[in-house]
Amino acid sequence: MVFPTIRVPQLLLFVEAASMLRDSSQILLQAGQVAADLPELIAAAQARAEDQLESLRIPSDLQAQVYGILRLTPPPLVLAYVQDLIDSGSGPDLEAFLEQVGSASTLLRFPPTLVGLVALGLLLERLDFSPEEAATIQTSRAQLEQTLVELADYHAIDLEPLRAATETVLESVSPEELLQLGQDLWAADPEPEPAPQPELAGPLLFMMVADHLLTQTEFVLTPEQRLDLQTNRAQAEARYLAMQKLGRIQNLAEQQAYIQSWIDQNSPADLLQAMDQFFAVLEEDSSS
C-alpha cells in the first residue's frame, strides 16, 4: 500500500520524537500506554542525542519537516517510533541505540490525519458521488482539516508543504487503493467474539455501534466520548459510501443482522472498549 513517507536520520527522529513525548507523556501515562520510567529515560537521553546530531549537519528544512510531521501525529504513534528505535530485541536499550545509531536512517510516515484528508479529497474528485454523499464526505474532510489546522497553529507548523507532498504521492494512486489506505488508517477489520465475520465492513460496524451508543440511555457518555463517536461516525460513513461506490459492500442485510446481534449481546461499556480496539490507528510497520 502506497503511503507518503520520507527517509530521515534515526537520530533526528529520536530527538524530535523525544521532544514531543516530553510534552505528551502525562497523556500516555494516564492511558496506560507507556511505562512510568520511560519518559524520564527518554528525556535523559535527549541531550546526548542532540549533541550527536550536530555532527550529522541536518538541513534545517528536513528538521522542520520532521518536527511538523511528528506534532501532527497521534502521541501513541510517536511513542511507537521511539520504542521501535530503541528496541534491541530484548527490550528498550537507550544506551545501545545511542552507541550504534550513527547515521542510520528510517522511513517516517506522514501524519495519518493529513493523509486521510488528502485521500478523501481525491476520492471526491474521482468517484461519482450523489450530492448528499459528497456533502457527507465534505463534512468529514472539514472535521479533519479543522483538527489539522488547530494543531498546526498551536505548534507553528506550515501545513501547506506537507499537504503538497502528500498530494504528490497520492495523485497516482487508484480509487481502490485510496479506499484501502483509508481503511488502513482508521479501521482494522473487526474480529468480535464469538467467531469473526470475515466479510464484515468495518465502517458499517462502526456506524451501527455508534448509533446505538449515541441513542441508548442506560450508560451515560461523557461529552468527550459523545464528540468522539459523532466525529468518527461521520468519517466511517464517508468510507462506507466510498465502499458502496466501489462495490465493496456485500450481503448488506446479513451484515446488519450479524452486527445487531453482536450489539445486543454486549453492554455499552464493552461496546465502547471494542470500538477503541477495532478502530485504533494502526502502528507503523518496522522499517529502516
Side-chain angles (χ1 to χ4, degrees):
M1 173 56 60
V2 175
F3 200 111
T5 61
I6 58 170
R7 182 164 289 278
V8 302
Q10 290 185 358
L11 203 54
L12 173 62
L13 176 56
F14 176 82
V15 167
E16 292 296 341
S19 176
M20 179 188 169
L21 290 174
R22 187 175 58 208
D23 298 331
S24 57
S25 60
Q26 286 304 311
I27 297 173
L28 296 168
L29 283 168
Q30 291 168 8
Q33 295 175 316
V34 61
D37 61 342
L38 187 58
E40 293 185 6
L41 292 173
I42 292 173
Q46 185 179 350
R48 179 178 166 187
E50 288 173 344
D51 289 340
Q52 292 180 225
L53 189 62
E54 290 183 6
S55 65
L56 297 184
R57 301 180 183 276
I58 304 296
S60 59
D61 58 341
L62 177 59
Q63 192 153 3
Q65 195 171 25
V66 174
Y67 172 93
I69 290 173
L70 290 177
R71 278 154 184 78
L72 296 176
T73 297
L77 288 183
V78 177
L79 175 63
Y81 285 133
V82 172
Q83 290 175 322
D84 189 47
L85 289 174
I86 66 177
D87 189 354
S88 64
S90 58
D93 192 337
L94 274 168
E95 187 68 25
F97 168 72
L98 293 174
E99 288 180 356
Q100 300 169 13
V101 60
S103 60
S105 64
T106 192
L107 290 177
L108 173 62
R109 286 187 170 191
F110 276 54
T113 304
L114 176 59
V115 176
L117 176 70
V118 174
L120 285 178
L122 291 173
L123 281 172
L124 278 172
E125 293 176 6
R126 298 178 186 180
L127 295 179
D128 185 21
F129 292 103
S130 70
E132 294 77 12
E133 293 169 338
T136 298
I137 295 177
Q138 288 286 18
T139 298
S140 295
R141 290 191 73 245
Q143 291 168 339
L144 290 175
E145 188 158 28
Q146 180 179 358
T147 299
L148 280 170
V149 169
E150 289 175 355
L151 277 173
D153 288 345
Y154 180 78
H155 293 291
I157 296 165
D158 185 357
L159 195 57
E160 289 313 306
L162 292 176
R163 189 199 302 261
T166 303
E167 289 175 347
T168 298
V169 173
L170 295 184
E171 279 174 353
S172 61
V173 175
S174 69
E176 290 79 8
E177 289 175 311
L178 287 173
L179 178 59
Q180 184 61 54
L181 177 60
Q183 290 181 270
D184 288 347
L185 283 171
W186 290 307
D189 284 338
E191 295 183 359
E193 294 295 338
Q197 180 80 359
E199 298 300 323
L200 206 58
L204 176 63
L205 174 62
F206 194 98
M207 290 163 57
M208 290 183 64
V209 176
D211 288 342
H212 172 77
L213 290 172
L214 288 168
T215 57
Q216 58 81 40
T217 57
E218 63 183 282
F219 183 86
V220 179
L221 297 170
T222 67
E224 292 79 9
Q225 288 171 330
R226 183 170 294 277
L227 178 60
D228 285 344
L229 283 172
Q230 291 170 335
T231 300
N232 292 330
R233 193 214 181 277
Q235 295 175 359
E237 185 171 9
R239 298 195 299 279
Y240 175 78
L241 292 174
M243 290 176 72
Q244 273 190 320
K245 286 294 181 183
L246 294 169
R248 298 280 295 277
I249 303 296
Q250 305 293 328
N251 304 318
L252 178 58
E254 181 181 344
Q255 289 194 53
Q256 290 173 324
Y258 180 89
I259 294 169
Q260 188 60 55
S261 174
W262 180 73
I263 289 173
D264 293 341
Q265 296 172 29
N266 287 273
S267 68
D270 289 339
L271 291 173
L272 274 173
Q273 183 178 10
M275 296 281 263
D276 289 339
Q277 294 172 349
F278 296 159
F279 298 92
V281 178
L282 299 180
E283 294 185 355
E284 181 206 24
D285 295 333
S286 299
S287 57
S288 59

